Amino acid sequence: MTFIDDRSIIKTMSEVSTKVRLLQAGKAIFLEKGYNHTGLQEIVKSVGVPKGSFYHFFASKEDFGLAVLEHHLKAFQPIMDQHLLADKTVPPLQRLRNFFEAGCAQLESEECKGGCIVGNFAQEMADQNETFREYLSSALSHWQDQFTTCLKKAQEHGDISEDENVEALGQFLMNGWEGAILRMKVTKSMEPVHNFVAVIFDKVLAP
C-alpha cells in the first residue's frame, strides 16, 4: 500500500490559495487604479505575503497582468454558459437579454465603478503592449463569437430574419456593450447600459 504525504498536499493547496489571492487582489486593484498605476508592492501588501511569494508564481508584472486576465476569463466563462447555453427552453434572444440584464445588475451592485477589466485593459494597454493587445483582441473575439452563436440560434428559431448578418450583429453587441460600460463609468449612471439593452432588444432585435 502506498501512502500519500499529506504535507505535500497541504503545501500545494496553500500555494494555490496564495496564487488565487494574488490574482483576485490584482484584479481588484487594476480595476480601481489601472495597470500602469498599480505597483507590485501594493498587491503583495494587500494579500499579506512577501514579494518573493509573488515571484514564485509570476515572472514579471506583465506575466501577472496576463494571468489576472486569464483568471477572470476562466471565472466568467461559466456565467456566459449559464445564460447563453444552459437552458434551451428559453428562446435564444431572451437568453442574450438575460445575460446583459444580469450584467447590468452586477454593474449596479458595484455602483458603476470598475467596469470590465478586459475593456479597461484594452483602453489602457492596446497601444502600449503588443502581447496584451493580442490577448485582449482574442478575448473580445471569443465573447463576440458566443454572442454570434446565440444570434444564429435565434435566426434558426425564426426570431431574426435570414437576411440579417449575425456576425455583424455579434460584433455590434460586443462593441456596444463595452462602449456602454465605458459611458457608465464616465457618467456614474446606469442609464447607458440600460439604454443599450432597451435599444438592442426592444428596437434593433425586436420581432
Side-chain angles (χ1 to χ4, degrees), residues 108-163:
E108 187 167 17
S109 74
E110 296 166 355
E111 299 180 336
C112 302
K113 298 176 182 177
C116 171
I117 194 167
V118 173
N120 291 1
F121 269 39
Q123 294 172 58
E124 184 180 7
M125 302 300 295
D127 288 338
Q128 299 180 21
N129 186 300
E130 184 63 14
T131 302
F132 271 103
R133 188 199 65 76
E134 291 180 354
Y135 191 95
L136 292 161
S137 177
S138 176
L140 291 169
S141 293
H142 174 66
W143 286 347
Q144 178 182 314
D145 288 345
Q146 291 186 283
F147 295 155
T148 300
T149 297
C150 203
L151 289 166
K152 286 179 179 177
K153 295 294 183 182
Q155 198 169 48
E156 293 169 5
H157 196 261
D159 293 331
I160 297 178
S161 168
E162 293 182 359
D163 297 329

Side-chain angles (χ1 to χ4, degrees), residues 23 63-76 135:
L23 291 169
D63 181 45
F64 177 67
L66 293 169
V68 167
L69 286 171
E70 181 179 13
H71 182 72
H72 169 75
L73 293 172
K74 285 182 177 179
F76 191 64
Y135 191 95

